[in-house]
Amino acid sequence: MLRTMLLVLAVVQGTGSHRVRIRVRPGHAEPPPAQLDSATLATAYLDAGAVELVRLARERRDTVDRSVLAYRALAKERISAGIRVLGHDKMLYRREIAANIDWRRDGARRVNLVGAREAIPIAIPGVEVPDDLMSDGRDLAFDPADSRLQIGLDDSSFVRNPLSPGSEADYRFQSGDTTVVAFAGGQPVRVIELRIIPRRDEFRLIRGSFWLDQATHAVVRAVFRPAREFDLERDGSRIDPGDPDAT
């Protein structure tokens, strides 16, 4: 685990102005690769092209993504939850956050929240400022080499990255179509589709496609969804024993 602290400066607008300065611990260490047996590995790839795509994409992560020492970005996150009653969708919860990220692999990481709002229409009228900005701000800063894909629900809410070592225990792979993308005034880019097929019907696994640049093998586009829909009782019932409000 990196011995660094994440510094969060929050300036948000709601019923009033709030400025929060907090220090929080860094993210969890990368989990160990899943253990594979020969039978599982033998069924992970549906064609030879998929084997080569995954190998090259992993080499890219090891040599390039892990070499990222710092980045700056504007991160935006929107989370919503609803329920369908008698054929009509009802919103239960919505949260939006925007922040400027100044991330460094070694050293302080800064998250400057420029906007945040939260609505729970079934319980509270109007819009309020989220009361958990400490954890929300920390989750917006990501490590490019992390083997987990954060999905923003809480500290333990992540899905297994299909390109992480050992992911054959969770996924199967198939090569797809090749597409040429042309940019105005630039060279056309040829991308190859890698189809991601989950082995199990789990919320922490994904189903979809990654498109890799044929020349660099970098993931330039990804479209995916959970292997199954989020179930509050199955996926949201964990209580953090360190939470003073847990009962």
Side-chain angles (χ1 to χ4, degrees):
M1 181 179 295
L2 296 174
R3 298 181 180 275
T4 59
M5 299 295 287
L6 176 63
L7 177 63
V8 179
L9 296 177
V11 182
V12 297
Q13 301 296 321
T15 54
S17 295
H18 304 267
R19 186 173 182 86
V20 183
R21 184 182 178 90
I22 48 182
R23 287 186 180 272
V24 296
R25 58 183 172 77
H28 296 301
E30 184 173 307
Q35 298 299 312
L36 287 174
D37 55 41
S38 57
T40 302
L41 185 59
T43 61
Y45 299 97
L46 302 185
D47 58 81
V51 177
E52 188 69 359
L53 285 176
V54 173
R55 183 185 69 81
L56 293 171
R58 285 176 175 168
E59 288 183 359
R60 162 83 186 196
R61 290 186 74 240
D62 288 340
T63 59
V64 178
D65 292 359
R66 294 181 187 279
S67 68
V68 175
L69 301 180
Y71 69 81
R72 291 181 179 177
L74 173 62
K76 297 180 181 180
E77 178 185 81
R78 175 182 293 178
I79 297 175
S80 61
I83 187 173
R84 173 161 291 186
V85 180
L86 300 178
H88 297 283
D89 293 329
K90 300 290 185 180
M91 188 180 72
L92 301 178
Y93 175 80
R94 173 172 291 174
R95 187 187 71 187
E96 294 178 281
I97 299 176
N100 289 314
I101 309 295
D102 184 359
W103 183 90
R104 301 174 187 278
R105 185 167 298 282
D106 297 309
R109 308 169 190 178
R110 186 178 298 271
V111 179
N112 183 21
L113 270 71
V114 297
R117 61 183 178 179
E118 181 179 67
I120 313 176
I122 64 170
I124 303 173
V127 177
E128 296 189 343
V129 176
D131 59 5
D132 54 353
L133 289 176
M134 180 173 67
S135 61
D136 294 340
R138 179 187 60 203
D139 292 342
L140 288 175
F142 68 95
D143 183 344
D146 201 337
S147 67
R148 303 177 301 178
L149 302 176
Q150 186 76 25
I151 56 177
L153 296 178
D154 55 47
D155 224 13
S156 60
S157 297
F158 62 90
V159 296
R160 180 72 173 172
N161 189 334
L163 297 181
S164 63
S167 64
E168 291 91 345
D170 300 312
Y171 297 103
R172 303 177 73 198
F173 303 93
Q174 183 179 32
S175 60
D177 299 329
T178 300
T179 304
V180 176
V181 180
F183 298 96
Q187 294 293 325
V189 177
R190 185 179 295 272
V191 296
I192 307 174
E193 180 187 12
L194 176 65
R195 295 170 183 164
I196 312 299
I197 306 167
R199 287 186 178 272
R200 299 176 299 281
D201 185 25
E202 295 181 7
F203 178 69
R204 293 185 184 278
L205 302 182
I206 63 174
R207 180 189 306 276
S209 295
F210 287 2
W211 280 267
L212 280 62
D213 185 326
Q214 188 178 45
T216 66
H217 312 114
V219 177
V220 297
R221 185 170 184 260
V223 176
F224 58 85
R225 58 182 174 83
R228 66 165 170 78
E229 294 184 352
F230 178 80
D231 185 300
L232 182 61
E233 183 176 355
R234 296 169 63 183
D235 306 312
S237 60
R238 298 180 302 277
I239 297 177
D240 184 354
D243 185 350
D245 297 326
T247 57

